[in-house]
Amino acid sequence: MNSRLAILVSGRGSNLQALIDAIAGSQLHAEIVGVFSDKPGAAALQRVPAPLRWAADARQFPNRMEFDRCLADAISVAEPDWVICAGYMRILGVDFIRRFAGRLLNIHPSLLPKYRGLHTHARAIEAGDTEHGASVHFVTEELDAGAVIAQATIPVIAGDTPDDLAVRLLPQEHRLLTAVAQLAVAGRLAERDGNVEIDGHRLFQPLRLDCEGNFPLRPASGA
Ligand code: GRF
């Protein structure tokens, strides 16, 4: 049976689209059971049929906990196996994170642990980095600090602006998120005691995508 994915979005939804395309192309054996947003006007929502959309304006709630509870209840109804933050720009509270712990993933546009939070491209340029990238990690209570599963890198070229980096990184983000989702839905990915496990073995450093968009892993047993 296909794995059930819930996707959280706040904006344009190109990462969501990458997952939709991978499913349509049979590279990802999964079903999107809901797309959830803190921004009812998010363009990302339009990428899926109306019955799959859920959105509420976080500003209409008395506090973070109330919004998170409403969001979490809506997600639970969809019974996802994995919950993926794909350009979800709102900080998730502790109760939400505990509720989905171990099956909650996020894509972040930096080579974590560098540049948690916002403005990652500008910060990489200011620091004089020659390499930049994106990370997919398990979400834990500390912002952008959960165990990193995999990363994709791009070079920083002299004269690059933050927008240049964002544009160059985006296709890598799409490949990275799709590749991690493939591991997740194949049952190969887990979090144990704050560490990433692939096929039951602890990962000591994040996986890196090769130039074909694959991870240097043995095929899953039975594949
Ligand atoms: C991506 O760069 C993601 O890493 C960041 O926000 C952007 C979202 O892009 N957190 P999209 O909405 O998936 O197009």
Side-chain angles (χ1 to χ4, degrees):
M1 212 172 66
N2 279 341
S3 276
R4 300 170 63 83
L5 306 181
I7 316 293
L8 274 58
V9 295
S10 297
R12 146 189 76 176
S14 69
N15 279 287
L16 165 64
Q17 190 64 50
L19 297 175
I20 293 171
D21 292 346
I23 291 170
S26 300
Q27 293 114 30
L28 182 61
H29 303 293
E31 180 188 353
I32 293 177
V33 293
V35 172
F36 301 84
S37 186
D38 58 325
K39 301 254 186 307
L45 290 164
Q46 303 303 320
R47 297 180 186 268
V48 292
L52 293 186
R53 298 176 202 150
W54 181 97
D57 186 346
R59 291 169 304 186
Q60 304 297 324
F61 287 74
N63 55 47
R64 182 180 307 283
M65 230 174 65
E66 291 295 325
F67 175 78
D68 277 3
R69 187 179 306 142
C70 191
L71 172 65
D73 286 347
I75 293 171
S76 293
V77 167
E79 299 186 337
D81 299 302
W82 293 92
V83 179
I84 301 178
C85 301
Y88 186 69
M89 301 307 287
R90 190 177 162 80
I91 291 174
L92 292 163
V94 171
D95 290 348
F96 182 99
I97 291 167
R98 288 189 184 151
R99 192 155 157 185
F100 298 104
R103 56 198 177 104
L104 182 57
L105 306 177
N106 180 46
I107 181 154
H108 181 76
S110 80
L111 294 174
L112 291 170
K114 282 185 167 182
Y115 317 131
R116 295 171 182 167
L118 297 174
H119 310 301
T120 57
H121 310 309
R123 289 156 73 193
I125 291 169
E126 273 159 32
D129 292 354
T130 54
E131 188 180 57
H132 185 48
S135 307
V136 176
H137 63 94
F138 281 102
V139 177
T140 53
E141 292 171 25
E142 197 182 337
L143 183 67
D144 298 330
V148 178
I149 301 155
Q151 295 179 319
T153 59
I154 56 166
V156 181
I157 300 166
D160 270 343
T161 64
D163 282 350
D164 293 333
L165 287 188
V167 167
R168 200 175 315 129
L169 186 57
L170 198 62
Q172 298 303 323
E173 288 188 35
H174 298 162
R175 299 167 88 191
L176 181 68
L177 187 61
T178 304
V180 173
Q182 283 167 338
L183 289 178
V185 306
R188 304 182 69 183
L189 174 66
E191 183 194 34
R192 189 188 298 268
D193 302 329
N195 297 304
V196 176
E197 286 189 354
I198 304 285
D199 299 332
H201 300 291
R202 180 171 166 189
L203 193 66
F204 284 91
Q205 55 185 19
L207 296 168
R208 290 267 173 132
L209 276 186
D210 66 21
C211 52
E212 286 173 344
N214 299 312
F215 293 130
L217 290 173
R218 266 182 267 170
S221 50

